[in-house]
Amino acid sequence: MLIQLILIMKYKKTTAQAPEKLTGIKLTPVPENAAGFKAIASSFEHIAKEVGLVKGIGLLAKMNQKDGFDCPGCAWPDPDEKRAFLAEYCENGAKAIAEEATKNRVSPLFFSCHKVSDLAKLSDYEIGKKGRITHPVIIREGQDHYEEISWEEAFATIGKSLNALKSPDEAIFYTSGRTSNEAAYLYQLFVRQFGTNNMPDCSNMCHESSGSALSETLGIGKGSVTLDDFNHADLVIVMGQNPGTNHPRMLSALSDTKKHGGKIISINPLAEVGLKGFKDPQNPLRWLKGQELSDLHLPVKINEDVALLKAIMLLLFEEEAKTPGIIDKEFIEANTDGYAEFKADLMRHNATELIAKSGVKEAQVREAVSLIAKSKRIIICWAMGLTQHKNAVDNIREVVNLLLLKGSIGKKGAGTCPVRGHSNVQGDRTMGIWEKPPASFLDALENEFNFSPPRNHGYDVVESIEAMHQHKAKVFIAMGGNFISATPDTELTAEALRQCDLTVQISTKLNRSHLIHGKTALILPCLGRSETDIQATGAQFVSIENSMGVVQQSHGHLHPLSDQLKSEPAIVAGMAMATLKQTTVDWEALIGNYDLIRDHIEATIPGFDRYNERIRIKGGFYLPNNAREGNFSPTHTGKANFTINRCSDIPLEEGQLIMMSIRTHDQYNTTIYGLNDRYRGVLNERRVVFMNEYDIAQRGLKKLDAVDLISHFNGETRKAEKFLVIPYEIPQGCAATYFPETNVLVALQNKADISNTPASKTVVISVEKRTD
């Protein structure tokens, strides 16, 4: 009883949310161009502060080079041939590596001096800046301090907890996208030998909707384009994405499209700076006058993309009647299924009504139709702005419909481009990190390792939170990531994690997920991408798959910051050897020589023929991609499939808005590098809500008023307190806020159909002015 009382008192003190405090906002004009000298200055400012300028410049010179290490940030691909000398990175990549190679340390002494309940009162930015974790640590039930633990005892604790479960399905094994191919493969092998498919990953929260839609329509859950395709496209359409902040190196690809005569349309509720203009950091001549990127911007209302796309396709059919050849009927007849049903459903709609629903002016829509009609080779790129909605799968399928109408899949300069987030998030799925593995992969594992893998589907992220909350799952292990700050419904998720008997975080840096934990919790520190990995047979390298299906090697050059760090594969092997009493795997041999891991990958996953030979070719190799080749035989019809999709149907009551969560420019996923969002003119503050000026006036508000945000879902309300109102160029009825501060507003059951992805971009809110 005493222990329970202490725990209750502790949990009341330990907050799951970022502190509700303002930090001193400063507003500046929104710039006209992204990147340029300011991006360079910002990069070196972070490098100098975290690493030191001399060491940092040497580190940057190795990042994304063929003989270096892959950026731990985003999954945007590197050029196949020539790479920029000393500068194949972006501003956010520099920030990411600065934080990984930081001089700041989180040691056992640090934990002895800081209570967990006190650390939880800090902002995510303040927590992250504490630095790299140097030793494995444990917090036991009833304690408020982590303390050092040996690796042997840590692994024994994990093995004992896992083996004490009544069923392997009472354990959950989460994966973040940073994990290498080798670590991911070993991880899924360990988990399946343990006996469960409970392997949720960060894809469940981002591009799961893309995978679901693309697999159904084109037969592969990955994009079809290569980086070189941007040089050959007549038109690139960028939907629901902010590349200037989230994938800055993509701006170079868009710049190449323009240089070769292509056009660009951006479709997004916010007119993001990165799609307006670009000052190439590698070309000083561009620093004075940037290059205009978007030829047309369509400010669509939040989640009205299907309405807009349907309107565009209806108008394309009108143009086809006047000028035959706009619709690629030859491609459609030879390669697709479901066209007649698709067209019949489309013709039931009214273009004028759809345009009004989209919020875009008719003249702008017709201008877009004109550009699309003239184009033979079209690439459509998208990100979370399409994938995190209730009808997210419909959004992506409608994108495919437009490309199929134009015959813009399976040829040079055309195709699908889902822009993935974290580095190697796509590779992790290729390696088998999936709660719904195909039978063919399980059969291959069974043949290779002589055991019977579990066949039942496991939990995804949403289902995992539900299972922990209901105490159906009692052990949670995370391979990287910051689960509490990445997931929806912050308070419910925190309760779910606290229900666990054991939580384990395999991490490089301190984050909020270390502070919201189970009754017993472990933090296991791992090597970063930039650090050397020495095993029994010598220095090892790992491999990474980028968002366009290129697999290449990555090996660090820095000496590890602590002799207590282990590689991710070594940590997985340690857990496996402590847990599996009867195993068919020689775990020690595998971590002694990663070539042996790659031999098993080659034997069980298609496309990895001669893996150890080809991975040593500088620049790596492409995995097979049927859609890229114009082969759609893996679909259920054997052809590319047209589909019938629905528009968003979320009703709003008087005074309500639809809110989407977004990142700042000083942020990558849940990692907060700073407090500035200079591309939106907001400095030194994260607790803001961007609103249309009309909506502000209608509510009797004015600029910088303090408000509370209340979300509404199925009769439930959730509140996020103390945000500042910012007038912004956003469609009426829409609002935008930063995550993770507003994750608390996203109900766990507010999720996409089919993919089960949290609908963090479609949150119904009302705004209440604070009286203080």
Side-chain angles (χ1 to χ4, degrees):
M1 288 296 295
L2 179 59
I3 290 177
Q4 290 177 333
L5 180 59
I6 292 172
L7 283 170
I8 291 170
M9 292 173 63
K10 174 187 165 187
Y11 290 155
K12 284 184 177 179
K13 294 178 183 178
T14 306
T15 176
Q17 298 182 51
E20 296 157 355
K21 63 182 180 182
L22 304 178
T23 49
I25 192 169
K26 179 181 178 182
L27 299 180
T28 61
V30 175
E32 291 297 319
N33 295 278
F37 178 75
K38 286 188 176 181
I40 295 173
S42 174
S43 299
F44 283 103
E45 178 185 350
H46 282 266
I47 283 289
K49 183 184 297 183
E50 297 283 350
V51 185
L53 201 53
V54 175
K55 180 181 177 182
I57 291 174
L59 193 59
L60 291 173
K62 289 291 186 181
M63 189 158 70
N64 295 325
Q65 298 296 334
K66 293 180 180 179
D67 62 346
F69 61 92
D70 199 65
C71 175
C74 81
W76 188 254
D78 308 308
D80 289 338
E81 302 299 331
K82 184 178 179 181
R83 299 187 183 178
F85 178 64
L86 299 181
E88 192 58 61
Y89 59 87
C90 68
E91 178 184 351
N92 269 2
K95 293 173 183 174
I97 202 60
E99 295 237 334
E100 180 177 293
T102 181
K103 296 174 287 188
N104 298 327
R105 302 286 186 266
V106 177
S107 66
L109 178 61
F110 172 92
F111 282 118
S112 70
C113 296
H114 295 87
K115 293 180 179 180
V116 168
S117 55
D118 288 338
L119 290 171
K121 297 173 185 175
L122 302 178
S123 68
D124 288 69
Y125 168 66
E126 292 168 321
I127 293 170
K129 288 298 180 183
K130 296 302 180 186
R132 288 283 301 276
I133 302 165
T134 63
H135 292 68
V137 291
I138 187 170
I139 187 168
R140 294 181 169 86
E141 189 168 7
Q143 292 183 338
D144 202 13
H145 287 272
Y146 277 99
E147 59 187 25
E148 186 177 357
I149 186 175
S150 70
W151 280 104
E152 292 75 13
E153 188 181 353
F155 290 143
T157 299
I158 294 168
K160 181 178 179 181
S161 295
L162 290 174
N163 287 321
L165 298 175
K166 294 179 181 178
S167 163
D169 290 330
E170 292 183 334
I172 291 168
F173 300 85
Y174 175 74
T175 310
S176 167
R178 189 204 64 227
T179 308
S180 68
N181 282 351
E182 291 75 11
Y185 188 82
L186 284 193
Y187 194 43
Q188 65 80 28
L189 181 60
F190 158 50
V191 173
R192 292 193 166 104
Q193 286 219 328
F194 177 63
T196 185
N197 282 315
N198 287 346
M199 276 179 277
D201 71 334
C202 54
S203 288
N204 295 153
M205 295 182 282
C206 56
H207 272 288
E208 197 69 55
S209 301
S210 299
S212 298
L214 294 174
S215 296
E216 176 188 356
T217 57
L218 302 177
I220 184 170
K222 303 178 182 182
S224 67
V225 302
T226 68
L227 194 56
D228 184 57
D229 282 321
F230 284 82
N231 295 316
H232 304 276
D234 300 323
L235 175 66
V236 176
I237 303 175
V238 183
M239 301 185 67
Q241 188 196 359
N242 177 19
T245 286
N246 301 333
H247 307 88
R249 288 196 299 153
M250 181 179 171
L251 300 183
S252 296
L254 296 176
S255 174
D256 289 340
T257 298
K258 298 287 286 190
K259 289 175 187 175
H260 289 91
K263 302 292 186 181
I264 296 173
I265 299 174
S266 62
I267 301 175
N268 196 53
L270 300 175
E272 301 288 13
V273 170
L275 287 168
K276 292 180 181 178
F278 173 51
K279 292 183 176 180
D280 188 348
Q282 298 175 22
N283 183 357
L285 296 178
R286 284 285 186 188
W287 293 0
L288 295 177
K289 183 176 175 16
Q291 177 188 22
E292 183 180 346
L293 290 183
S294 290
D295 296 276
L296 176 66
H297 172 65
L298 304 182
V300 66
K301 288 185 175 181
I302 293 174
N303 198 28
E304 293 297 353
D305 303 272
V306 171
L308 177 61
L309 290 170
K310 285 186 185 296
I312 287 171
M313 289 187 288
L314 277 171
L315 295 178
L316 282 174
F317 275 108
E318 284 187 10
E319 295 302 310
E320 171 71 14
K322 302 173 190 174
T323 312
I326 290 173
I327 305 296
D328 193 337
K329 294 181 179 178
E330 182 178 342
F331 173 88
I332 292 170
E333 184 174 345
N335 296 285
T336 72
D337 187 79
Y339 173 69
E341 295 84 354
F342 154 77
K343 184 178 179 182
D345 178 78
L346 183 65
M347 293 303 165
R348 295 190 302 102
H349 293 81
N350 179 281
T352 301
E353 293 175 356
L354 290 169
I355 292 171
K357 182 174 174 59
S358 76
V360 181
K361 294 178 180 178
E362 182 173 344
Q364 293 176 304
V365 176
R366 291 190 177 276
E367 187 178 351
V369 170
S370 177
L371 288 171
I372 293 169
K374 297 173 185 175
S375 301
K376 298 292 185 183
R377 295 168 296 179
I378 301 172
I379 295 172
I380 302 184
C381 310
W382 69 89
M384 305 302 94
L386 292 193
T387 66
Q388 292 182 329
H389 301 283
K390 179 176 173 56
N391 63 324
V393 175
D394 295 76
N395 288 340
I396 314 307
R397 292 191 305 204
E398 203 73 343
V399 164
V400 174
N401 283 343
L402 176 56
L403 290 171
L404 292 179
L405 277 184
K406 294 295 296 177
S408 276
I409 296 180
K411 65 184 180 184
K412 197 72 174 173
T416 57
C417 184
V419 183
R420 304 283 178 175
H422 216 149
S423 173
N424 210 44
V425 62
Q426 185 162 297
D428 289 349
R429 183 57 61 88
T430 302
M431 292 297 106
I433 300 293
W434 195 15
E435 72 281 358
K436 301 173 184 175
S440 58
F441 177 64
L442 298 179
D443 291 342
L445 288 180
E446 185 167 2
N447 291 335
E448 179 72 4
F449 295 102
N450 193 30
F451 80 106
S452 298
R455 299 283 169 164
N456 293 333
H457 287 174
Y459 296 136
D460 61 22
V461 164
V462 169
E463 292 163 344
S464 293
I465 296 170
E466 291 173 335
M468 289 187 289
H469 195 258
Q470 298 165 11
H471 209 49
K472 293 179 181 178
K474 301 174 182 179
V475 174
F476 175 83
I477 299 177
M479 177 64 75
N482 181 2
F483 192 77
I484 188 66
S485 294
T487 47
D489 221 337
T490 307
E491 294 298 342
L492 186 147
T493 301
E495 292 175 12
L497 289 167
R498 289 168 179 152
Q499 292 272 17
C500 291
D501 295 332
L502 174 69
T503 53
V504 181
Q505 303 285 340
I506 300 165
S507 308
T508 54
K509 292 169 54 237
L510 190 68
N511 64 52
R512 191 170 294 279
S513 291
H514 303 138
L515 313 176
I516 308 300
H517 54 76
K519 296 167 187 173
T520 298
L522 288 163
I523 306 175
L524 306 182
C526 63
L527 294 171
R529 286 266 179 90
S530 58
E531 293 169 321
T532 55
D533 181 358
I534 307 298
Q535 301 297 340
T537 61
Q540 306 295 312
F541 66 85
V542 295
S543 53
I544 307 297
E545 178 185 344
N546 67 35
S547 64
M548 293 180 183
V550 177
V551 181
Q552 60 186 349
Q553 64 175 273
S554 172
H555 53 92
H557 295 75
L558 292 181
H559 185 75
L561 66 89
S562 165
D563 61 6
Q564 286 295 303
L565 302 185
K566 287 184 179 290
S567 72
E568 289 178 328
I571 293 173
V572 173
M575 293 191 296
M577 288 186 287
T579 303
L580 304 175
K581 303 306 180 184
Q582 294 181 333
T583 179
T584 59
V585 178
D586 187 344
W587 298 96
E588 286 190 1
L590 293 180
I591 61 170
N593 183 352
Y594 294 177
D595 279 356
L596 301 180
I597 304 174
R598 289 185 282 270
D599 285 341
H600 287 303
I601 293 172
E602 177 181 341
T604 52
I605 301 178
F608 285 87
D609 303 356
R610 306 187 343 269
Y611 192 3
N612 274 309
E613 175 187 340
R614 291 194 293 160
I615 197 61
R616 285 173 165 83
I617 299 171
K618 289 190 175 182
F621 60 92
Y622 280 90
L623 291 174
N625 188 301
N626 60 277
R628 184 176 296 155
E629 303 300 322
N631 168 25
F632 310 110
S633 60
T635 71
H636 68 282
T637 63
K639 292 189 173 185
N641 293 307
F642 280 95
T643 51
I644 296 172
N645 304 300
R646 70 193 192 284
C647 298
S648 176
D649 58 357
I650 298 173
L652 292 180
E653 297 179 5
E654 185 176 352
Q656 292 181 344
L657 305 169
I658 290 186
M659 183 203 82
M660 63 178 183
S661 60
I662 57 177
R663 304 172 186 166
T664 74
H665 190 65
D666 266 357
Q667 173 180 0
Y668 193 75
N669 291 343
T670 60
T671 302
I672 314 299
Y673 303 127
L675 298 178
N676 296 335
D677 191 6
R678 76 170 186 272
Y679 287 171
R680 298 190 184 102
V682 178
L683 305 182
N684 202 46
E685 186 57 74
R686 292 184 54 82
R687 299 188 77 82
V688 300
V689 53
F690 297 100
M691 295 173 61
N692 182 280
E693 287 189 349
Y694 175 83
D695 292 325
I696 293 172
Q698 283 290 97
R699 288 156 180 77
L701 301 171
K702 60 182 184 301
K703 183 169 70 173
L704 296 183
D705 273 351
V707 297
D708 293 336
L709 308 178
I710 296 90
S711 69
H712 307 269
F713 181 78
N714 287 352
E716 301 173 353
T717 60
R718 292 163 175 80
K719 179 183 281 191
E721 297 185 5
K722 201 177 291 186
F723 287 75
L724 300 178
V725 172
I726 305 293
Y728 210 77
E729 191 177 331
I730 187 171
Q732 288 183 27
C734 300
T737 59
Y738 301 137
F739 77 86
E741 285 81 359
T742 53
N743 286 359
V744 66
L745 298 176
V746 186
L748 186 64
Q749 295 306 314
N750 183 12
K751 57 189 180 181
D753 296 332
I754 301 175
S755 69
N756 224 31
T757 296
S760 301
K761 296 285 191 289
T762 315
V763 183
V764 177
I765 66 166
S766 54
V767 179
E768 291 184 357
K769 185 175 181 178
R770 293 178 64 94
T771 57
D772 58 353

